[in-house]
Amino acid sequence: LTDLTPLAGLTQLTDLWMRGDQITDLTPLAGLTQLKMLRLDGNQLDLTRGSPAMRIIKLLQDRGASVTYKPSN
């Protein structure tokens, strides 16, 4: 899995597990206001402070979502 764009319209989605994929862009998840659990471990995300991925992660966490995001090795 690399492209999350098809998920953008699933606004009632509450749980999403995407572990060990090739995801680099979390922008399509920004509109998932009902998301409560997101697992992103092992993806190709830039997890440095202030990166676009970390901004989306923080946005989701601020809405109450539990997010895990350990980088891939």
Side-chain angles (χ1 to χ4, degrees), residues 11-66:
T11 57
Q12 298 302 310
L13 195 63
T14 59
D15 297 85
L16 189 55
W17 292 64
M18 299 178 296
R19 299 173 71 184
D21 292 305
Q22 301 297 313
I23 298 164
T24 59
D25 180 18
L26 298 178
T27 305
L29 303 183
L32 301 183
T33 57
Q34 301 302 311
L35 202 59
K36 297 299 176 204
M37 183 178 294
L38 176 61
R39 299 295 176 252
L40 296 166
D41 302 330
N43 281 284
Q44 304 298 315
L45 295 167
D46 174 4
L47 298 173
T48 57
R49 184 185 307 222
S51 70
M54 288 306 292
R55 286 195 299 269
I56 298 296
I57 288 170
K58 178 160 178 21
L59 171 71
L60 296 170
Q61 288 173 327
D62 288 349
R63 290 183 187 153
S66 171

